[in-house]
Amino acid sequence: MSRRPLDSSVPAIAVHDVSKRYGRTIALDHVDLEVAAGEFVVLTGPSGAGKSTLLNLLAALEKPDTGTIFVRGHRLGRRSRHLNRLRRVEVGLVFQLHNLIPRLTARENVEAAMFETHRGRRQRTARADELLERLDLAERATDRPPTMSGGERQRAAIARAVANQPAVLLADEPSGSLDDHSAQLVFDLFDEMRDGGATILAVSHDSRLEQRGSRVISIADLSTSAA
Amino acid sequence: MTFVGLIMRNIGSRPLRAALTASAVAIGVMAVVALGVLTTSLKESATQILDVGNADFTIAQKNSSDIINGTISQDDIDAIGRIPGVRKAVGALISTDPYDENNPLVIEVGLNPADQAPFGLNILEGKAYTADSDDQVMLGYALAKQIDKTVGDSITIGGHDYTVTGLYRTNVSFGNSTMMFPLAYLQGLNRLSGQVTLGFVQVEDGASIARVRAEIDSQYAQLTTIETAEDFGRADRNLTLISAANTGGSLLAGLIAITGVLNTSLLSFFERIREFGIYRSIGWSRFRVIALVIGEAVVVSVVGAAVGVLLGWGAINVLENLRQLKGVFKPLYDAGIFWRSLGFGLTVAFLGALYPALRAALVAPITAVRRE
């Protein structure tokens, strides 16, 4: 399953007037955002400002109360089949809490993301091993997440998110638990993805990551109601 | 890792739960196998009587709970023998008596010596008893071997001594485990003078069996004619009840097994909500999530079904050696048992896991991601 080619004039991410609330809590209030294809945007802001919520909406994990979201020119709607494909092929999501399956090994966690793609068993294993080696996790490939450190789990989660070579990578604090060496490996991987035309939107408080981004924006600046 | 490998990994990670689920299925399959073999074997044993003496059909008392406990006037059998188209009608009295601890239920057949040949009886050794004797008996060769008796030996039944005059073989296997007495003597012993249990009818060459049966059915309202296993099932209420018990027991076993699979699958679902959410969040389709849950149940159930077949076989062996069923129940296995068990296991897996699978498929990715 390959990605659809994209007109370079179409933004990779377009968020128009999106609001989201949970009960009385307003998570996002009339937010606008456009990210061009190939951009590396770092999104900052205080805790509870709605950064993770915005990533979840962009990954189609939930729906906005109001407003529209386009990812690679496609409006996120209710069609389940399209959303599955979006989560599997178009978008890779690095969760803040990693969300690895504890029962599976690091390699199997990465492989699980490649079911329902064109890759066969051997190709899935080869791709998983390639990414784990790239992120200095080759020796932990057969270990399960509960036995791994926070940094190792974070890198395994990044390997899973990029396994299908997504056109858009959404990363929630991808370097928060990483030492300098490990962070460098991840940043190099991000750079390589960007060189390949991928768009990256990362939520982070990590100054090392902010320095790598082509644009750093604050979530507070995205709300039109605050202007 | 293949998808099947993932299913096996998930099962292997909860071995006790998988074993308990498989046990529920195994018990269900055991019940289905044991009841199925018991019913099939009893039906087969019972319907073998239709083939006695190469009869074209059998006559029994109508509306009897068990045709072997029915009574027919011997005069009626004699009269039936004179109906146009009938070549031979033979009446036989059947009763049971204990012989010893190993043979607590021996079938006794009362038959006139002159009717033995038409009855399909072949004397292997010795000779027939005389029609009016009260101390002579013949033994089926299988029974003789079992109780270690031969021609000239004496046996005691109900405190009365009899001399074995001959050993015989019949054209149906159960007949070889019987003993045979002069008809009049056995009638007297059972206080059933002039009565027989069953009649066996052969029609003339070229005569219509259906026409002869219709003639008998219309003339003798108290009798019924039996030509096929279906006729037998209608005439013998016990067999109908056994079949109904088999169906009911199998359904109950299925219900218990489905409940077992449903229970563990649902418990597993609640424990794995977050996991299903993660699968959905990385692009798994709902169909794949359903396939995962049902696949796990199918593997466990098929293993349970295999164990159940073995347990069923063990249960049949226990039944076969039960004092009450010794000599009466001879298990009859057929290839269909394997397929029925497999079908049972797959059905139980599908029905038991369907609801949890649908629940798993409907887990919203975001709900699972937030569940810590």
Side-chain angles (χ1 to χ4, degrees):
Chain A
M1 195 175 291
S2 58
R3 295 196 304 262
R4 292 176 297 117
L6 186 66
D7 182 347
S8 59
S9 64
V10 175
I13 295 170
V15 176
H16 299 304
D17 198 28
V18 162
S19 296
K20 181 73 181 176
R21 52 192 304 158
Y22 301 103
R24 291 182 178 179
T25 305
I26 299 171
L28 292 174
D29 189 15
H30 300 286
V31 164
D32 282 339
L33 171 67
E34 280 200 4
V35 179
E39 251 196 305
F40 183 174
V41 174
V42 179
L43 187 60
T44 63
S47 296
K51 304 184 296 297
S52 296
T53 299
L54 182 59
L55 289 195
N56 290 338
L57 293 177
L58 290 170
L61 299 189
E62 58 185 337
K63 296 180 181 70
D65 297 332
T66 61
T68 54
I69 297 175
F70 290 82
V71 173
R72 302 194 77 232
H74 202 105
R75 182 173 176 173
L76 302 189
R78 290 175 176 275
R79 288 170 56 198
S80 175
R81 196 171 175 183
H82 168 73
L83 295 183
N84 289 337
R85 187 183 182 283
L86 179 97
R87 294 184 198 116
R88 189 169 58 246
V89 182
E90 304 274 354
V91 173
L93 179 60
V94 181
F95 297 97
Q96 189 175 14
L97 296 171
H98 318 138
N99 285 335
L100 296 168
I101 309 286
R103 196 180 313 117
L104 304 182
T105 65
R107 178 192 286 134
E108 289 166 345
N109 265 285
V110 180
E111 286 181 279
M114 290 181 274
F115 283 130
E116 298 190 50
T117 65
H118 65 281
R119 290 189 174 94
R121 181 177 63 84
R122 288 182 182 174
Q123 289 171 304
R124 289 195 296 266
T125 304
R127 173 68 175 156
D129 284 344
E130 174 200 334
L131 286 166
L132 292 174
E133 188 171 351
R134 180 80 192 271
L135 294 171
D136 203 15
L137 281 174
E139 290 182 2
R140 308 305 305 268
T142 55
D143 291 332
R144 294 189 174 83
T147 68
M148 296 162 72
S149 71
E152 288 169 335
R153 285 202 294 269
Q154 189 151 40
R155 280 178 282 154
I158 290 168
R160 183 181 64 186
V162 304
N164 292 324
Q165 296 166 301
V168 175
L169 180 67
L170 305 169
D172 199 350
E173 300 285 3
S175 56
S177 318
L178 303 181
D179 58 33
D180 286 344
H181 171 69
S182 300
Q184 189 59 48
L185 294 174
V186 170
F187 298 157
D188 289 346
L189 180 63
F190 286 180
D191 285 344
E192 191 178 289
M193 289 180 67
R194 236 187 115 190
D195 292 343
T199 306
I200 301 173
L201 176 59
V203 167
S204 182
H205 294 103
D206 186 348
S207 58
R208 296 171 301 181
L209 188 64
E210 289 175 20
Q211 288 165 15
R212 307 294 284 236
S214 55
R215 188 156 54 117
V216 179
I217 52 178
S218 168
I219 185 86
D221 296 335
L222 302 179
S223 177
T224 53
S225 65
Chain B
M1 179 182 61
T2 60
F3 187 62
V4 173
L6 177 62
I7 287 172
M8 301 307 283
R9 166 63 58 86
N10 288 342
I11 293 168
S13 68
R14 291 180 297 272
L16 182 62
R17 182 174 301 170
L20 289 172
T21 310
S23 300
V25 177
I27 290 167
V29 169
M30 180 187 75
V32 168
V33 168
L35 285 170
V37 171
L38 184 66
T39 307
T40 306
S41 304
L42 289 177
K43 268 185 181 174
E44 182 64 22
S45 296
T47 52
Q48 271 188 356
I49 211 162
L50 299 177
D51 299 326
V52 165
N54 299 317
D56 291 311
F57 60 88
T58 305
I59 298 169
Q61 182 188 341
K62 194 183 267 183
N63 298 325
S64 171
S65 62
D66 179 346
I67 66 167
I68 290 180
N69 286 332
T71 52
I72 306 170
S73 164
Q74 199 177 342
D75 292 340
D76 287 345
I77 296 296
D78 293 340
I80 285 168
R82 293 190 291 273
I83 289 177
V86 173
R87 180 164 59 202
K88 182 79 179 172
V90 173
L93 182 68
I94 295 171
S95 65
T96 58
D97 251 322
Y99 176 69
D100 59 16
E101 210 169 84
N102 293 323
N103 298 276
L105 195 73
V106 176
I107 297 173
E108 301 161 326
V109 180
L111 195 66
N112 282 323
D115 291 335
Q116 288 181 343
F119 196 73
L121 188 131
N122 178 22
I123 297 177
L124 300 174
E125 203 178 319
K127 59 179 184 181
Y129 43 67
T130 54
D132 56 354
S133 73
D134 61 0
D135 59 356
Q136 294 180 348
V137 66
M138 293 174 72
L139 302 178
Y141 78 95
L143 177 64
K145 190 177 175 188
Q146 198 173 330
I147 63 175
D148 195 25
K149 296 289 181 187
T150 190
V151 175
D153 286 349
S154 178
I155 64 171
T156 303
I157 300 167
H160 193 96
D161 294 332
Y162 301 90
T163 301
V164 179
T165 63
L167 307 184
Y168 58 85
R169 178 199 294 274
T170 68
N171 64 331
V172 293
S173 60
F174 90 92
N176 301 320
S177 295
T178 61
M179 56 177 64
M180 197 168 282
F181 294 89
L183 178 59
Y185 175 72
L186 197 63
Q187 285 171 333
L189 207 62
N190 287 283
R191 293 185 175 84
L192 287 170
S193 184
Q195 304 290 309
V196 293
T197 309
L198 295 170
F200 301 93
V201 177
Q202 287 177 340
V203 301
E204 300 277 8
D205 290 341
S208 164
I209 295 173
R211 192 193 60 74
V212 174
R213 282 185 65 190
E215 179 77 20
I216 295 169
D217 286 337
S218 67
Q219 282 192 34
Y220 300 92
Q222 78 280 19
L223 303 182
T224 184
T225 56
I226 303 166
E227 186 181 1
T228 65
E230 286 72 31
D231 294 336
F232 193 103
R234 279 193 291 273
D236 190 306
R237 286 184 193 163
N238 277 352
L239 210 57
T240 308
L241 287 174
I242 290 169
S243 295
N246 175 34
T247 306
S250 298
L251 285 174
L252 193 62
L255 201 61
I256 291 167
I258 287 169
T259 307
V261 173
L262 175 65
N263 189 34
T264 48
S265 296
L266 208 51
L267 191 63
S268 177
F269 160 73
F270 286 120
E271 285 177 0
R272 296 167 67 191
I273 286 179
R274 182 166 172 265
E275 177 184 330
F276 294 126
I278 293 170
Y279 287 137
R280 294 282 290 131
S281 72
I282 61 175
W284 278 32
S285 63
R286 289 197 169 104
F287 176 79
R288 185 165 289 270
V289 173
I290 290 171
L292 180 71
V293 177
I294 290 185
E296 290 172 15
V298 163
V299 171
V300 170
S301 297
V302 168
V303 170
V307 173
V309 170
L310 292 176
L311 290 175
W313 180 77
I316 291 295
N317 274 298
V318 170
L319 286 174
E320 189 181 5
N321 288 300
L322 274 182
R323 192 170 171 274
Q324 299 89 325
L325 290 176
K326 216 163 191 178
V328 177
F329 171 53
K330 295 192 187 307
L332 191 75
Y333 298 96
D334 64 72
I337 289 169
F338 170 78
W339 295 112
R340 281 198 298 275
S341 302
L342 186 65
F344 180 90
L346 292 175
T347 306
V348 160
F350 183 76
L351 293 179
L354 185 60
Y355 175 66
L358 292 174
R359 289 281 304 264
L362 291 173
V363 168
I366 191 64
T367 308
V369 166
R370 285 191 176 145
R371 195 183 174 93
E372 291 296 336

